[in-house]
Amino acid sequence: MSIWVDANGWPIPPTVLLGCLVAEILYFRGWQVLVKAEQRRTAGAKTSSVLTGSHTAVYRRNSWICRSIFFLGTIFTFLLASSAPIDILSSRLLWVHMIQHLLLLVVIAPLLVAAAPLLPLWLGLPRWARRLVRLSAILNIGSPFHRLGHWLRQPAVSCVLLIIGTWVWHWPALYDLALTNAAIHDWCEHMTFLAVSVLFWTQVIPSPPLRPRLGYLGRAGCVGIAILQNVILAVLIAFAQVPLYAPYAHLALAPGGLSALQDQQLGAGIMWVFGDLPLVIALVVLLNRWLVSQSDDQEEVNIVKKIESVS
């Protein structure tokens, strides 16, 4: 059987293609509204920006252009993770399956959060759909969901859910179940990874109208926790003396001539190195911004002291 198409002859499942198409249409429909609004603000603020040196409107417009690139990156990576070659090989090779998981956890999730999709998707909805949502808000139907969302976005809760979601699905019994049941694999395991990772990354990356609830140092602490749990899990898988996952253990030799244990160790190594790479980059950026903010604060203190000494 060819690895380039699935059992139904599709290189990417049609439901995934349709979902991505709808998301793109809604996002860029709303994105156009936002960019046009910023362009009008830019035109109206030209005179004041020349006098005051303010370029806020231009910055906002450019930031939405960058976010559209992040969104396209999200769609492309999601299509790649859902493609037939990765999906088929992930059932034969644990290291390919690990790459698929990492695409969801540390590539797609931060790209999606950086794309700030809530406002564009909301503005991209038809008017009747937005009216329906507003009506539910007036009737207080969505209040429990709002409270739940507020609770889930607490930094401690987001970090704990990331750890639970990642570790539970790497527990051999559930991992094996996901490998032998396509519905559980796609709609439970992968959706759990995507949900908990998006929730976590909203604590790290600003995603209007959502903002991180912690300062730079607090966010760096959250990223440090994510790195630590990833390293511990990767080490446990790498140094296991026997293959942990039955569907791979039953293969005499994995494609490429790897034994099940070698395949497992390679997957753990990929998880360790490439799973930590985006997190380490985020940690460095956050610590750098914290140091810059500290120096800025010190400069302000020095200016105030000079003014006080003169007066």
Side-chain angles (χ1 to χ4, degrees), residues 167-179 243-247 264:
W167 282 65
V168 161
W169 284 109
H170 284 90
W171 181 41
L174 283 180
Y175 200 102
D176 293 349
L177 179 62
L179 282 171
L244 297 175
Y245 307 114
Q264 181 171 287

Side-chain angles (χ1 to χ4, degrees), residues 15-164:
T15 52
V16 173
L17 288 171
L18 181 61
C20 288
L21 178 61
V22 171
E24 278 190 273
I25 290 171
L26 291 178
Y27 183 91
F28 283 102
R29 215 177 143 199
W31 178 85
Q32 282 184 323
V33 174
L34 289 166
V35 170
K36 286 178 181 177
E38 296 302 341
Q39 285 175 336
R40 286 194 293 270
R41 289 181 191 175
T42 304
K46 275 184 179 178
T47 305
S48 61
S49 65
V50 170
L51 295 174
T52 64
S54 173
H55 301 283
T56 304
V58 177
Y59 168 77
R60 285 177 180 167
R61 185 190 65 193
N62 291 341
S63 70
W64 278 113
I65 292 172
C66 289
R67 288 186 180 117
S68 70
I69 296 171
F70 291 139
F71 189 77
L72 288 174
T74 303
I75 295 295
F76 174 79
T77 312
F78 190 75
L79 291 173
L80 177 65
S82 305
S83 64
I86 287 185
D87 212 38
I88 292 171
L89 286 175
S90 68
S91 65
R92 306 174 190 173
L93 290 162
L94 188 146
W95 70 265
V96 177
H97 202 181
M98 195 63 73
I99 289 175
Q100 190 179 43
H101 289 176
L102 293 178
L103 288 175
L104 292 167
L105 288 163
V106 295
V107 179
I108 293 172
L111 282 174
L112 182 60
V113 172
L118 290 181
L119 282 175
L121 290 176
W122 168 253
L123 293 172
L125 288 172
R127 288 185 179 178
W128 63 265
R130 280 181 279 168
R131 286 173 183 166
L132 189 63
V133 174
R134 289 194 186 101
L135 178 62
S136 67
I138 293 171
L139 297 175
N140 211 29
I141 296 173
S143 181
F145 297 102
H146 181 268
R147 287 196 294 270
L148 177 62
H150 183 79
W151 179 78
L152 289 174
R153 286 205 67 247
Q154 293 181 76
V157 173
S158 298
C159 289
V160 169
L161 287 178
L162 176 70
I163 295 170
I164 292 174

